[in-house]
Amino acid sequence: MRAAVVGLGLIGGSLAMALKGYPGLRVTGVVRSENTLRKAVERRVCDEVTMDPMEALAGAELVWLCMPPKAILSFLEEHKGDFRPGAIVTDVCGVKTAVMQAARALPETVDFIGCHPMAGKETSKLDNAEATLFQNAHFILTPRPESDLAHVALLEDMAQYMGFRDTVRTTPEEHDAMIAYTSQLMHVMAVAVCDDAELERCMGFEGGSFRDCTRVAALDVPLWTELFSLNAPALARSIARLEDNLRAYRQALEAGDTRLLEEKLTASSGRKRKTLTDRPE
């Protein structure tokens, strides 16, 4: 099987490296710059590298789209007629509804299956890619109702080969609602904390909890601007719920209501402990 990985950044480069040795698979990386091409060849990221997407798509039975969200949307529109008939096409975008809608432009002979590898770093680009990036991470799939179950099973098998802990099948809408809470809201919280002018003055006073909370604030701004914007309704709802919860804590503190404060802390910490004990091995 010939696979094309379009975009050899952090995720695409890591994916190509993690797939090395997968039985019967030959991977072609598709890049836009000669600099990235040179680095990919030097690091032996994949079997071959090209700057010609049409050539790669024509021969690929499996295509991974590993670009920023809006670039994926544009690529699907521009190359909708260039995919090989019968090809499996998937993506790694952190927003699924918008991508799945764009994929409707593809011919019926192309099986588009959305996916989201739940892994990453604060740093981007091929320089930071590594074959072990996906170890113990979740692999989320959003197949279409008409998707071939054999194709879905193939992606799940590849995910296992790359080291993912498990795979989860869901709908694009459910994915976006969940990710708004578990991923995007965490990034909003981190940057909101860093919006405070106290940040620089407090250096030397921060502990592990502060570092954990703000770790993802050093984010890729263009990428996360796109992710937030494309999932704005779901993310706005998550932010509104967080605002309500923060307001309740502030009001309890301002009122000196230690009983209410203790009740809220008990309920929240108990809910978190339950998620830890319920987590599958």
Side-chain angles (χ1 to χ4, degrees), residues 1-5 8 12-13 15-31 37 39-50 56 62 64 126 158 161:
M1 172 179 285
R2 297 184 67 90
V5 177
L8 293 180
L15 190 145
M17 289 189 283
L19 282 172
K20 278 187 176 180
Y22 185 84
L25 186 69
R26 184 172 180 81
V27 178
T28 299
V30 181
V31 299
L37 187 149
K39 290 180 179 180
V41 170
E42 289 176 352
R43 295 187 60 184
R44 298 181 180 179
V45 171
C46 41
D47 297 301
E48 56 190 27
V49 190
T50 181
L62 171 63
W64 295 83
L126 181 60
M158 287 183 168
Y161 181 86

Side-chain angles (χ1 to χ4, degrees), residues 194 196-206 210:
C194 293
D196 198 314
E198 289 286 284
L199 178 66
E200 294 182 9
R201 195 172 74 86
C202 290
M203 293 302 94
F205 290 84
E206 74 276 25
F210 186 88

Side-chain angles (χ1 to χ4, degrees), residues 147-222:
S147 289
D148 189 322
L149 293 181
H151 294 167
V152 176
L154 173 64
L155 293 177
E156 290 177 332
D157 188 64
M158 287 183 168
Q160 184 177 22
Y161 181 86
M162 288 187 281
F164 285 92
R165 181 172 74 187
D166 55 22
T167 60
V168 179
R169 299 187 196 181
T170 187
T171 65
E173 296 77 13
E174 180 74 0
H175 167 277
D176 289 354
M178 294 293 187
I179 294 303
Y181 172 66
T182 63
S183 176
Q184 295 176 348
L185 183 63
M186 301 304 105
H187 286 75
V188 169
M189 287 171 53
V191 294
V193 169
C194 293
D195 281 341
D196 198 314
E198 289 286 284
L199 178 66
E200 294 182 9
R201 195 172 74 86
C202 290
M203 293 302 94
F205 290 84
E206 74 276 25
S209 59
F210 186 88
R211 289 190 293 271
D212 289 344
C213 176
T214 59
R215 177 181 61 82
V216 296
L219 44 69
D220 181 332
V221 173

Side-chain angles (χ1 to χ4, degrees), residues 36-281:
T36 304
L37 187 149
R38 176 181 54 79
K39 290 180 179 180
V41 170
E42 289 176 352
R43 295 187 60 184
R44 298 181 180 179
V45 171
C46 41
D47 297 301
E48 56 190 27
V49 190
T50 181
M51 295 179 65
D52 185 348
M54 293 181 66
E55 178 186 5
L57 296 181
E61 298 158 89
L62 171 63
V63 180
W64 295 83
L65 301 180
C66 303
M67 299 168 286
K70 290 186 178 179
I72 291 177
L73 302 184
S74 298
F75 191 91
L76 287 170
E77 176 60 30
E78 180 181 353
H79 294 284
K80 58 188 176 185
D82 299 329
F83 293 95
R84 175 175 172 164
I88 308 166
V89 181
T90 188
D91 74 300
V92 299
C93 184
V95 175
K96 295 269 70 79
T97 302
V99 172
M100 299 296 287
Q101 288 175 345
R104 292 175 182 170
L106 297 178
E108 292 183 1
T109 56
V110 175
D111 192 359
F112 188 92
I113 301 170
C115 90
H116 183 191
M118 292 295 295
K121 296 181 179 180
E122 297 79 59
T123 50
S124 58
K125 299 185 178 180
L126 181 60
D127 294 332
N128 300 291
E130 56 185 64
T132 59
L133 181 67
F134 308 115
Q135 295 293 319
N136 207 36
H138 299 296
F139 186 78
I140 304 175
L141 286 171
T142 58
R144 296 188 289 189
E146 64 270 26
S147 289
D148 189 322
L149 293 181
H151 294 167
V152 176
L154 173 64
L155 293 177
E156 290 177 332
D157 188 64
M158 287 183 168
Q160 184 177 22
Y161 181 86
M162 288 187 281
F164 285 92
R165 181 172 74 187
D166 55 22
T167 60
V168 179
R169 299 187 196 181
T170 187
T171 65
E173 296 77 13
E174 180 74 0
H175 167 277
D176 289 354
M178 294 293 187
I179 294 303
Y181 172 66
T182 63
S183 176
Q184 295 176 348
L185 183 63
M186 301 304 105
H187 286 75
V188 169
M189 287 171 53
V191 294
V193 169
C194 293
D195 281 341
D196 198 314
E198 289 286 284
L199 178 66
E200 294 182 9
R201 195 172 74 86
C202 290
M203 293 302 94
F205 290 84
E206 74 276 25
S209 59
F210 186 88
R211 289 190 293 271
D212 289 344
C213 176
T214 59
R215 177 181 61 82
V216 296
L219 44 69
D220 181 332
V221 173
L223 171 62
W224 283 93
T225 299
E226 290 188 17
L227 289 170
F228 289 170
S229 299
L230 288 172
N231 201 27
L235 180 55
R237 289 192 293 271
S238 290
I239 292 173
R241 293 196 303 270
L242 176 62
E243 289 172 338
D244 290 341
N245 291 330
L246 288 172
R247 185 180 304 107
Y249 278 105
R250 176 175 60 80
Q251 291 172 344
L253 290 168
E254 290 174 343
D257 193 338
T258 55
R259 187 176 70 174
L260 176 58
L261 182 61
E262 184 175 359
E263 288 176 355
K264 289 186 64 59
L265 291 172
T266 299
S268 296
S269 62
R271 188 175 292 116
K272 175 59 179 177
R273 289 191 182 95
K274 186 175 187 299
T275 65
L276 295 175
T277 57
D278 289 351
R279 178 178 297 172
E281 294 297 328

